[in-house]
Amino acid sequence: MSSWKKHVAVQLGHEMEEKINSLPAEIRLRAEDRIHINLHRQNPTLIARIELFLMLIGPGILVMVADNDAGGVITYAQTGSIFGLGFFIPFMVLMLPVAYFVQEMTVRLGAVTHRGHAEMIWKRYGRFWGSFSLGDLVIANFLTFITEFIGITVGMSVFGIPRYISAVIFVSLVIVIQLFLRYYTWERVSLFIAAFNLVFIPLLFFLPHPSVRNILDSFATWQVNGGVSSLFIYVLLANLGTTIAPWMLFFQQSAVVDKGLTKKDIKFGQRDTIIGSTIMVVVAIAIIILTGTTVYGSDPTGSLGITGILQLFADRVGSFPMELFAVGLVEAGFIAVIAISASTSWAISEAFGWRRSINLPAKEGVKFYLPSFIALVIAASITLIPNAPLGYLNLTVQVIATIFMPAAMLFLLLLLNDRGVMGDMVNKRWQNAIGFTIIGFLITMNALYGLSVAAPAIFNHLAGVL
Amino acid sequence: MATEGKENENDVEKEFEEFLKSEELEEYDKIPVNRVKLGRGVKAAFWFLRIYIALMVVLVVIGFSHVI
């Protein structure tokens, strides 16, 4: 018995412990975590309060760091290499409050209803929209898995590890983490892996001539280097898609539920989400600066894949920084596969009413774990196919995420305005105003993308004018 | 002695129930969530969503086919 469990047994008595042991596995483990939190809440010392904060944070940081996934890192790297230090740096800063407002709603929804996003849509809006949201999520998650394995295998190849070996290693690691770690440990291990996402920040010190002035100027001018072209719209949409994506809503809400957060914990969930959003944006900007300073000018059409970008990066700053970049890329893919795999498992099980929790032991949670593992294996195998258009596929995944995001956001806002579900925790007016502005912005951007596909000549003309 | 044992058992039972309640553990899977009746505005929004998604999917397929 672990020391804290002994402590709990002494505090609550052995009869109580027996009662808790009689609960189903997933609730029992959640109850044990909650006892721990309960005891810390009653302890007024500063250390206990800090420990309580550290215990209650997790889903927000995890979702945001996992959103800086391999696909995201590749997108930011391509963004910097195509457009340099202009428009996209202030744009990413603008994405911080957007990401926060969207994800904060999932914290409240999860803590109040104790139900995941998929289940809420299914039960509240019926089978059609339930299956649409689930289908959209599962397809997008599957495609995202592919981009994660692109990142992992490319990153590992920098260290001379063949692609198929990297794929086998990381599929196995994810399966072990999901199957054998229970929620609290799973979350802590995932946060430890997520910490490596910060590797991109110290990399900035390796840049030979970082132009702080150019970075600051970008906030004043929002200059689009190369002008507004269909490529610009496409990359803009991809950046939007890698900052807010449907899987993030499903993931954080289900994680809040699985962690057992209650209405009392909402403020911790909000702080958790602010910390996560800040980390996400700082890392994204660091990556744009890294390639915008070193590779920009060599890839005006976006034809360079991540391998080409890494090669040029190594030529300009040396092989050690490039290897650190590769470590970041591998980590980004790894943490995202863990998070997206959990999100897939939660959503499918919520929709079909299966038992669902990372707390479920492997034997009792076959239905819960299996679908995402199958998707994982197939996605990893696809990345091993020679000459697959992986670079373009990566941008397309982000674009697809942006296209489906207004639908996901609409359900989120409907649920957050549903008094029958949220009681007095419904959205305030200003929160709705922000939410609907974000939906409007997403739809406008998607319409521009549609226009760039249907009539690219318009944007080619704009590129010459702006 | 037997009464004291019974009282102790009741206390544990009560304490356990209170704990489940305070940590909202008993609410898991128990709060009923029913299908909501859609208003006109929401129905219209859902139709807009259907058309929007169909259109965007077609455009993505066109965009992707240009590159492949």
Side-chain angles (χ1 to χ4, degrees), chain A residues 150 168 172 233 261 335 390:
Chain A
I150 296 170
V168 170
S172 312
I233 299 292
L261 297 190
I335 189 65
L390 299 178

Side-chain angles (χ1 to χ4, degrees), chain A residues 256-277:
Chain A
V256 161
V257 173
D258 212 355
K259 192 176 170 79
L261 297 190
T262 65
K263 289 182 202 115
K264 282 179 282 190
D265 307 317
I266 287 176
K267 66 173 187 289
F268 290 95
Q270 289 167 333
R271 287 172 196 162
D272 179 30
T273 311
I274 287 179
I275 296 170
S277 317

Side-chain angles (χ1 to χ4, degrees), chain A residues 439-459:
Chain A
I439 292 186
F441 178 63
L442 286 167
I443 291 177
T444 308
M445 290 314 302
N446 288 332
L448 283 175
Y449 165 73
L451 204 61
S452 74
V453 170
I458 296 174
F459 290 92

